[in-house]
Amino acid sequence: MKRVIKALIISGELLIAASLALMVTGLAMNDPTSTLGSLMSYETARRVHTIASYLFIPLFYVHTAAGLLVIANRTERLKTEKARRTLVGAWTVLTVLLVVAGFTAFGTGRSAFGSVQATAVLTLEEVAKHSTENDCWIIVKDRVYNVTSLIDTHPGGRDAILKYCGTNATEVFFNEHTERDYEALQQYYIGTINGSIVNQGNSTEKG
């Protein structure tokens, strides 16, 4: 039981560290212009956030399993080895089901958010259809981004985005933004343009 209690304490401390990493990197990705965002690039924050997310799941499992064993040790009916194995086994199955359900829902949510799969190959004509404040896509380089949710939080104001909805905003984007901003833009990526773009300005002509 000493090992179980030790596992409970260590996993709890690591869970706190993972939670802090998730919170800090999440804030940095959400607002690249903030103090946290200036301390790390979007790509670095994304990688740390991903690692912390994957570590959180096994740590949570170990911590809760250890907690269940501690509770079982204090309950007369659950003190037997068979009862404890059954308890941990049931918790293991439940955790696996929750993880599978969570990843399935996450994948569905990403597709729904972008209206298309992130690997989609799009045409300029299709992008041009998404030109309103409630459905705003832009092109930067040869990649398409759904920036609808960014309109109300854009540091440069709503109009700075609205005038380019449905168009190729490559030139104006790099005139007004840094490479760090381009990294932050990647969270809105939904697809790639089919074919090369001749004019990298505010047009939608294709080569």
Side-chain angles (χ1 to χ4, degrees):
M1 186 52 60
K2 289 183 178 180
R3 291 182 178 179
V4 173
I5 294 176
K6 187 175 181 180
L8 181 68
I9 295 173
I10 293 176
S11 61
E13 293 174 342
L14 292 175
L15 270 175
I16 294 174
S19 298
L20 288 173
L22 287 171
M23 180 181 69
V24 170
T25 54
L27 291 172
M29 289 190 295
N30 186 60
D31 186 4
T33 62
S34 65
T35 302
L36 287 174
S38 65
L39 294 176
M40 64 181 78
S41 67
Y42 175 82
E43 187 61 26
T44 299
R46 185 186 66 80
R47 289 177 181 176
V48 174
H49 193 83
T50 301
I51 293 172
S53 298
Y54 283 116
L55 287 176
F56 188 90
I57 296 172
L59 286 172
F60 177 77
Y61 167 75
V62 171
H63 188 70
T64 50
L68 288 173
L69 288 175
V70 171
I71 294 174
N73 191 59
R74 297 177 180 177
T75 306
E76 195 63 35
R77 293 181 180 180
L78 299 176
K79 280 188 175 182
T80 65
E81 186 67 22
K82 182 179 179 180
R84 283 186 285 186
R85 286 183 178 180
T86 301
L87 185 64
V88 173
W91 175 241
T92 301
V93 172
L94 179 60
T95 301
V96 171
L97 291 175
L98 289 173
V99 170
V100 171
F103 276 104
T104 301
F106 176 73
T108 302
R110 283 182 65 91
S111 295
F113 175 77
S115 300
V116 294
Q117 294 182 357
T119 56
V121 177
L122 306 168
T123 64
L124 295 173
E125 292 75 18
E126 186 172 2
V127 173
K129 295 176 183 178
H130 302 270
S131 58
T132 68
E133 62 178 316
N134 296 318
D135 184 18
C136 179
W137 293 7
I138 62 170
I139 301 169
V140 176
K141 292 187 176 180
D142 62 345
R143 296 164 70 89
V144 181
Y145 303 89
N146 183 343
V147 294
T148 309
S149 63
L150 182 61
I151 292 174
D152 290 328
T153 59
H154 185 242
R158 291 167 52 88
D159 290 340
I161 293 181
L162 289 176
K163 66 174 70 174
Y164 298 105
C165 291
T167 72
N168 175 17
T170 303
E171 184 175 344
V172 68
F173 181 87
F174 285 107
N175 283 341
E176 301 293 335
H177 300 83
T178 65
E179 192 64 30
R180 186 186 296 275
D181 295 326
Y182 181 64
E183 292 178 357
L185 182 66
Q186 301 315 305
Q187 64 183 301
Y188 303 101
Y189 169 69
I190 58 173
T192 304
I193 285 295
N194 179 24
S196 60
I197 302 175
V198 175
N199 189 337
Q200 292 294 318
N202 183 28
S203 70
T204 54
E205 297 180 4
K206 183 175 65 174

